[in-house]
Amino acid sequence: HLGISDDQKHRQWCKSKNETKQALMKEEQEEMNGWFALWASQMISLVKPGGIVIIESISKPRCEVGDWGGVSKEWWAQAIREYEWDTQLGIDPASLDIIDFDPPTHYNGLQDRYNVKMTKRK
């Protein structure tokens, strides 16, 4: 990310009307999307046909939650098409399931997260 580790400063950048700061935050999210795409692609490629891919405790984008950041729930459906997980890696787009994650401990670092479940075609 942009080297802004202070949550308060980061939140200011997310809410800023300054076009440069907004462009940098958008660039940061695009980098995060790319990282998640690579990571998920590698995990999907390890799963046998007919198997299930489960990715747990995913953070929402940094400007939404203020922690290290992740990707939006909506991003996954877009990623299946954009990164050709359906045609190249065999993911069934209809199998995508987004599951809210609320650990019983309510540990601060795990709040407001979700899990993703996808099935690979046989």
Side-chain angles (χ1 to χ4, degrees):
H1 53 66
L2 299 172
I4 306 170
S5 57
D6 181 319
D7 248 4
Q8 293 294 37
K9 191 176 287 184
H10 185 267
R11 287 179 192 272
Q12 291 170 0
W13 277 52
C14 289
K15 294 177 181 178
S16 175
K17 303 253 188 256
N18 180 294
E19 289 182 22
T20 301
K21 289 179 180 178
Q22 285 298 305
L24 287 170
M25 296 315 302
K26 183 178 179 184
E27 181 182 335
E28 179 184 69
Q29 187 58 51
E30 289 170 359
E31 289 292 323
M32 185 66 74
N33 293 354
W35 185 91
F36 265 83
L38 179 60
W39 177 56
S41 295
Q42 291 172 347
M43 291 182 63
I44 293 165
S45 69
L46 296 172
V47 175
K48 293 179 182 180
I52 296 173
V53 179
I54 297 176
I55 304 173
E56 298 179 309
S57 190
I58 303 163
S59 179
K60 295 176 185 173
R62 194 169 184 205
C63 280
E64 288 180 32
V65 294
D67 67 6
W68 290 100
V71 293
S72 70
K73 293 177 181 181
E74 297 77 21
W75 178 84
W76 293 94
Q78 297 165 359
I80 289 172
R81 291 185 309 276
E82 182 177 341
Y83 299 102
E84 299 178 336
W85 295 342
D86 54 346
T87 59
Q88 299 297 314
L89 297 177
I91 289 295
D92 176 4
S95 73
L96 177 63
D97 190 13
I98 307 290
I99 305 150
D100 287 328
F101 179 64
D102 186 20
T105 60
H106 295 287
Y107 173 68
N108 282 341
L110 294 179
Q111 290 180 345
D112 214 17
R113 291 178 178 241
Y114 63 95
N115 303 329
V116 170
K117 178 181 163 191
M118 301 177 274
T119 305
K120 215 169 179 181
R121 290 188 198 92
K122 291 184 179 187

